[in-house]
Amino acid sequence: NNMKTCLQVIDVNPKAGPFITCPANQTEASCQTQSTINSKFNTWKNSVTYTGGCNPMLVIGAGSAPPACGGATTVTFTVTSDCGSATCSSTFTVTNAPAVSITCPANQTEASCQTQSTIDSKFTTWKNSASFSGGCNGVLTNNGSSAPNHCGGTATVTFTVTSDCEAPKTCNATFTVTNAPAVVLTCPSNVTEAACQTQSAIDAKFATWKNTASFTGGCNGTLTNSGGTAPNACGGSTSVTFTVTSDCEAPKTCTATFAVTAAPALVV
């Protein structure tokens, strides 16, 4: 009697897995708003996927979005199931904000005796030559209100850059107008002429004498005199006051005398 034996194999094929696919590492530029970074971070976290396993459950590790000024957050993603678990990690990065670099205008010196409007215009142009780079949403300001006086003076201006990602940065620069040179008035020397010249000769000498007054310094100075007529050719004197008016100081004056000696008395 031949006996035959039959072996039956039953294959139990449990579900494979679970399998998890992390979000790809993601890098965002700095200088976006924090709310934008937060939104992108949440979208990135929720892009994780998984398959397989029995009754799988996804757990996303703790971690908040990095600062909008720069940083990184690594998140661990885990799938647990009745048949096993799977884990992966991925990183969300915000690049570091570029450092603020502020460039002040070079110190500037202007000559005096320009008009105030010219100095004001040059001062404004000078202030506007300040610049900066880097930072996030930076704003450049300065505390310079008015230019120095065109007769001489100095204005020191502080320039400030405020931005989102670092403390304000400052620098100082100076705009100078040189002091106007002081007025120096030179009066004619006192003069005495002999009598018995013609009146026209005395008049001519008097006019020439007045014109020998001079001055130096000042800004836009003007020399004037109190005038008057020449003394009588037969004898007398005239005192003349000379005045220099200028932009940058009070008028300066001096006085000089032109005389004609008295004619000798007639003796008959």
Side-chain angles (χ1 to χ4, degrees):
N1 293 327
N2 295 327
M3 294 183 64
K4 292 184 179 179
T5 301
C6 178
L7 179 63
Q8 183 179 7
V9 177
I10 299 175
D11 183 14
V12 178
N13 184 20
K15 290 184 177 179
F19 302 102
I20 187 169
T21 302
C22 257
N25 291 333
Q26 184 165 324
T27 299
E28 292 289 332
S30 59
C31 297
Q32 301 178 65
T33 64
Q34 189 64 52
S35 61
T36 299
I37 292 297
N38 292 345
S39 176
K40 289 182 175 181
F41 179 74
N42 289 331
T43 299
W44 171 81
K45 280 198 307 182
N46 292 330
S47 67
V48 62
T49 60
Y50 61 93
T51 59
C54 297
N55 302 314
M57 179 180 294
L58 174 65
V59 177
I60 299 176
S64 57
C69 292
T73 299
T74 298
V75 178
T76 299
F77 302 85
T78 303
V79 174
T80 59
S81 75
D82 295 344
C83 300
S85 63
T87 299
C88 66
S89 296
S90 190
T91 301
F92 186 97
T93 302
V94 177
T95 58
N96 290 323
V100 171
S101 176
I102 185 171
T103 303
C104 255
N107 292 334
Q108 184 165 325
T109 299
E110 292 289 332
S112 58
C113 297
Q114 301 178 66
T115 64
Q116 189 63 52
S117 61
T118 298
I119 292 297
D120 291 345
S121 177
K122 289 183 175 181
F123 180 70
T124 298
T125 299
W126 172 80
K127 285 195 300 182
N128 291 338
S129 67
S131 63
F132 75 97
S133 61
C136 291
N137 303 313
V139 176
L140 174 61
T141 58
N142 67 74
N143 68 348
S145 55
S146 59
N149 192 285
H150 71 292
C151 293
T154 297
T156 298
V157 179
T158 298
F159 299 84
T160 303
V161 174
T162 55
S163 62
D164 291 346
C165 294
E166 57 184 294
K169 282 198 173 178
T170 63
C171 64
N172 296 313
T174 300
F175 186 98
T176 301
V177 177
T178 59
N179 291 322
V183 172
V184 177
L185 172 60
T186 303
C187 251
S189 300
N190 292 332
V191 169
T192 301
E193 292 288 335
C196 298
Q197 301 177 62
T198 64
Q199 188 63 49
S200 60
I202 291 298
D203 291 346
K205 288 183 177 180
F206 179 71
T208 299
W209 171 80
K210 285 195 298 182
N211 290 334
T212 62
S214 64
F215 75 95
T216 59
C219 290
N220 303 313
T222 302
L223 175 61
T224 59
N225 64 73
S226 60
T229 58
N232 193 285
C234 294
S237 66
T238 299
S239 291
V240 178
T241 298
F242 299 85
T243 303
V244 175
T245 55
S246 63
D247 292 346
C248 295
E249 57 183 293
K252 283 198 172 178
T253 63
C254 66
T255 301
T257 301
F258 186 97
V260 178
T261 58
L266 180 63
V267 178
V268 179

